Amino acid sequence: MIAAVAPPAGPAPILTTPEAKDLLSFAEPQIARVTHVDLDLVADFATRTMQGTAALDILAAPGAKQIILDTNHLTIAKITDAAGRPLNWSIGAYKDYIGAPLTIDLGGAKRIVIHYASSPEASALQWLPPELTAGKKLPFLLSQGESINNRSWIPTQDSPGIRQSWTARIVVPGNLTAVMSGERLTPKGEDLPDGTHAYRFAMPHAVPPYLIAIAIGDIAFRPLGPRTGVYAEPATIDRAAAELVDTEKMVTTAESLYGPYRWGRYDVLVLPPSFPYGGMENPTLTFATPTFLTGDRANVSLIAHELAHSWSGNLVTNATWSDAWLNEGFTTYFENRIMERLYSPARAATEADLVWDGLQKDLKDAGGPAAPSTRLHGDPEGTFGQLDYFKGSTFLRTIEKTVGRARWDAYLTSYFDRHAFQPQTTAGFLADLRANLVKGDAALEAKLQLDRWAYQPGLPDNAVHIRSPELERIDAQVTAFAAGAAARTLEAKGWTTQEWQRFLRGLPRSQQTERLADLDRAYGLSASTNAYVRSAWLELAIANRYEPALPSLEQFVTSVGRGILISPLYKGLKAQGDWGMPIAKRLYAKARPTYHPVVVGSLDKLLD
Ligand code: BES
Ligand code: ZN
């Protein structure tokens, strides 16, 4: 049994209130819904497709004749019931981004079997040639489900409000290893007569389908603690294990804050650099970018973040993508509480202060505090930039400071318990907060401004800003450099990622060529192997059309595929019009084949 806490009996509840309707899914779960997904797939690296069957257990309302699933560019061969009798099905009109509904006549079937293949262009999957791996010898496959990509390789109801348990059997080439976001039942795989290997997995808890994830490649494992470990390519495993030494303690720390970790093991998979995100909270197996491996453990808040999602996101899940701040805002807050308890209040304050900087920048870039896209809930196009993270966590910090830590922490622990393994809406959270924390205290209700925070644009006037005295020292260096001090006279020896970020982002955007050259000479920024520092430096260089940094830029965008580090560079180039756009186009043409489909999707739009 994987679970430290047994899964609840029966299918997870769904929400039927109007605001819980998922506009990005075709499913009609009140009529018929998927409760379990059983995959039997071959990963075919030659055709870059997943092929096989998905058997779905169905719970249908009395009289329901059909079930509607989400798909995106799947090729369906046939669909049968459990006994192999063919069922009628049809695929509806394709909608850009969302995909197409697959409607199946149930004919009373409680289990249906879909025979299908994914497209080589499936938006969840990136098939890496050997050159794009650390080992350079074997290919690699990685998936990214959130938000709505999994329908490109799994035909199911792809909505975060429709939880499903799952099992899988995955056949891979004999020299590769498969891992998934569930219990790994066959760590060594089973030999098949044709030289391939079969791996089996199980997730006994009902999870939102965006949390089903897979990676296949030359993957090694190293234990870190009794229930923690790290997977990575052999060439990366030592560095990864060194960076992740505190992982077991991190799990214990998280539990000491908000209750038991309910998923059994907590492992981290460090992927090749084309992984499109910093991290992804796949249950039991966080997926992580190798760019966080800076050798000094300065960026392990990334792991604290993905671990925290084991409560906020994976246990209590945003019911729709309009409620995404319930995942990301809660998690950004929780992440910082882990960092504070595991390391120090000073370190947590540094990171929280950078969140505040990000909040201010996003509010500005969104077009100011009145912009509708700055609402946590409400904009169908999504909340601007990282405001789900920055504004969402600031909201929770403000509640904490208003009611006091003891009371807030007790509430939050009980909240995760009350809603474990269930979807949650913004309205549902506010109702729970009122029932269990505010409890009719009119003065408190007025102080908190809950509805303003959740539904209005901008920043309410009770917002709490955590300040870092250590970053104030960096600000003094910004002032010194801006006043003309030579770069080598700055006190920048041993600066961490966060200190460099504050410095480089804090510098006036307009810099003379000689000043940039001075900085680069003194600190080797163009050659920095710290991807966060390199990205922040290149952003400044681009804003000033600083051509000596172009080789560094080219090397960077062709070797790193993490969207948040490279998108600002392409955006910066675009903003430089006639100078920048040709450079952006040339670099993108070269780099595009190395990027994950989700990054290609957004950069195609930007540079079109
Ligand atoms: N769940 C997100 C990644 C994500 C968000 C994927 C939205 C698809 C759509 C993950 O937990 C995350 O927030 N990653 C951050 C990490 C950072 C905040 C520490 C990232 O990728 O940069
Ligand atoms: Zn997150």
Side-chain angles (χ1 to χ4, degrees):
M1 196 68 216
I2 182 180
V5 175
I14 53 167
L15 299 175
T16 52
T17 50
E19 79 274 6
K21 168 92 186 134
D22 181 357
L23 300 171
L24 300 182
S25 168
F26 294 103
E28 303 276 6
Q30 334 71 273
I31 298 172
R33 54 180 283 224
V34 176
T35 59
H36 182 84
V37 177
D38 182 24
L39 299 172
D40 191 349
L41 297 171
V42 176
D44 185 349
F45 282 82
T47 59
R48 299 186 160 196
T49 60
M50 299 289 263
Q51 305 168 11
T53 58
L56 309 179
D57 290 339
I58 310 294
L59 182 66
K65 296 202 162 45
Q66 300 179 322
I67 187 164
I68 307 175
L69 309 178
D70 295 298
T71 68
N72 201 337
H73 290 109
L74 299 180
T75 304
I76 310 238
K78 66 170 173 177
I79 302 178
T80 71
D81 66 10
R85 279 185 294 265
L87 299 174
N88 286 327
W89 56 274
S90 65
I91 293 220
Y94 176 84
K95 255 171 97 177
D96 197 31
Y97 177 57
I98 296 175
L102 167 59
T103 305
I104 302 158
D105 292 341
L106 287 171
K110 297 228 163 357
R111 184 179 172 87
I112 59 176
V113 183
I114 303 165
H115 298 249
Y116 73 102
S118 63
S119 152
E121 275 78 47
S123 67
L125 304 179
Q126 188 178 16
W127 302 84
L128 296 174
E131 314 84 83
L132 296 183
T133 66
K136 315 266 181 230
K137 293 207 175 72
L138 295 167
F140 202 102
L141 168 69
L142 62 94
S143 78
Q144 167 58 40
E146 191 179 9
S147 306
I148 60 167
N149 300 305
N150 269 348
R151 61 192 67 177
S152 71
W153 72 286
I154 304 172
T156 189
Q157 292 176 318
D158 188 12
S159 172
I162 310 176
R163 305 180 80 93
Q164 301 148 41
S165 53
W166 61 267
T167 43
R169 176 178 177 272
I170 307 287
V171 175
V172 310
N175 50 2
L176 302 182
T177 300
V179 292
M180 285 188 81
S181 53
E183 193 181 0
R184 292 168 279 285
L185 301 172
T186 49
K188 296 204 178 326
E190 298 159 343
D191 293 333
L192 300 183
D194 63 355
T196 59
H197 271 126
Y199 289 85
R200 288 183 301 107
F201 305 91
M203 171 46 72
H205 291 293
V207 295
Y210 72 86
L211 292 177
I212 306 176
I214 189 166
I216 301 172
D218 185 6
I219 298 172
F221 176 73
R222 181 81 55 81
L224 295 168
R227 57 177 161 170
T228 54
V230 55
Y231 292 90
E233 288 189 72
T236 312
I237 193 96
D238 286 339
R239 272 199 312 141
E243 207 86 21
L244 289 165
V245 278
D246 287 339
T247 305
E248 186 77 29
K249 275 197 273 179
M250 218 175 235
V251 179
T252 317
T253 304
E255 288 184 307
S256 76
L257 283 163
Y258 297 124
Y261 177 76
R262 306 190 197 215
W263 303 89
R265 290 197 59 83
Y266 181 74
D267 296 316
V268 177
L269 169 66
V270 178
L271 290 149
S274 69
F275 185 61
Y277 291 102
M280 180 63 212
E281 65 270 27
N282 299 130
T284 75
L285 185 62
T286 282
F287 281 29
T289 173
T291 60
F292 92 100
L293 306 174
T294 44
D296 57 359
R297 300 175 211 158
N299 305 296
V300 294
S301 60
L302 172 84
I303 303 302
H305 180 96
E306 304 313 334
L307 170 64
H309 272 304
S310 306
W311 288 258
S312 42
N314 300 1
L315 207 53
V316 185
T317 307
N318 52 209
T320 76
W321 297 112
S322 300
D323 304 300
W325 78 274
L326 292 179
N327 279 16
E328 299 304 342
F330 273 63
T331 296
T332 303
Y333 173 81
F334 191 170
E335 161 202 338
N336 199 255
R337 294 294 305 277
I338 295 172
M339 295 302 288
E340 179 189 318
R341 188 167 285 187
L342 181 55
Y343 297 106
S344 69
R347 183 163 177 185
T350 294
E351 298 186 352
D353 205 356
L354 289 177
V355 162
W356 182 267
D357 289 349
L359 172 57
Q360 297 304 327
K361 180 171 193 304
D362 271 357
L363 287 173
K364 189 160 156 263
D365 292 353
S373 65
T374 64
R375 294 181 297 189
L376 285 178
H377 180 277
D379 196 310
E381 293 295 305
T383 304
F384 186 86
Q386 291 172 277
L387 285 172
D388 279 338
Y389 299 69
F390 302 152
K391 184 176 171 182
S393 60
T394 303
F395 179 17
L396 300 196
R397 179 71 71 182
T398 300
I399 304 175
E400 177 213 303
K401 293 287 186 200
T402 308
V403 304
R405 251 195 192 180
R407 203 170 146 198
W408 168 243
D409 284 352
Y411 166 76
L412 209 46
T413 306
S414 75
Y415 171 80
F416 288 131
D417 265 349
R418 264 192 303 284
H419 301 279
F421 299 106
Q422 291 171 48
Q424 180 63 290
T425 60
T426 299
F429 164 61
L430 294 185
D432 187 281
L433 195 66
R434 289 190 163 107
N436 297 291
L437 187 75
V438 181
K439 294 181 175 162
D441 179 340
L444 178 57
E445 174 75 43
K447 259 195 221 160
L448 289 173
Q449 309 189 49
L450 299 176
D451 293 308
R452 265 216 74 189
W453 274 101
Y455 298 114
Q456 299 299 315
L459 202 59
D461 58 15
N462 62 346
V464 170
H465 174 185
I466 304 284
R467 284 169 209 276
S468 155
E470 288 173 11
L471 289 183
E472 276 165 18
R473 285 207 290 277
I474 306 297
D475 297 343
Q477 302 300 298
V478 169
T479 307
F481 186 78
R488 63 177 163 71
T489 67
L490 300 175
E491 293 157 15
K493 280 248 153 48
W495 274 357
T496 62
T497 300
Q498 291 75 20
E499 291 164 321
W500 275 113
Q501 284 178 326
R502 177 75 157 224
F503 179 77
L504 290 169
R505 292 173 185 165
L507 286 178
R509 286 298 85 185
S510 171
Q511 294 287 334
Q512 301 293 321
T513 301
E514 312 81 69
R515 301 295 284 149
L516 293 174
D518 185 29
L519 260 186
D520 200 6
R521 259 195 318 273
Y523 299 106
L525 298 171
S526 286
S528 176
T529 54
N530 180 318
Y532 304 80
V533 175
R534 180 88 161 260
S535 173
W537 157 248
L538 290 171
E539 228 184 303
L540 181 66
I542 290 166
N544 291 285
R545 306 189 175 189
Y546 180 69
E547 299 196 350
L550 290 180
S552 169
L553 174 66
E554 177 159 347
Q555 196 277 332
F556 189 69
V557 301
T558 53
S559 59
V560 171
R562 180 178 176 188
I564 204 133
L565 297 181
I566 58 174
S567 292
L569 305 179
Y570 287 110
K571 277 190 197 131
L573 286 169
K574 184 176 173 178
Q576 294 300 322
D578 290 348
W579 178 82
M581 202 57 180
I583 300 172
K585 293 230 167 182
R586 181 177 67 77
L587 296 184
Y588 186 51
K590 186 170 170 201
R592 191 176 182 277
T594 71
Y595 294 157
H596 188 284
V598 303
V599 169
V600 168
S602 72
L603 290 181
D604 277 0
K605 236 186 259 159
L606 179 76
L607 298 175
D608 184 21

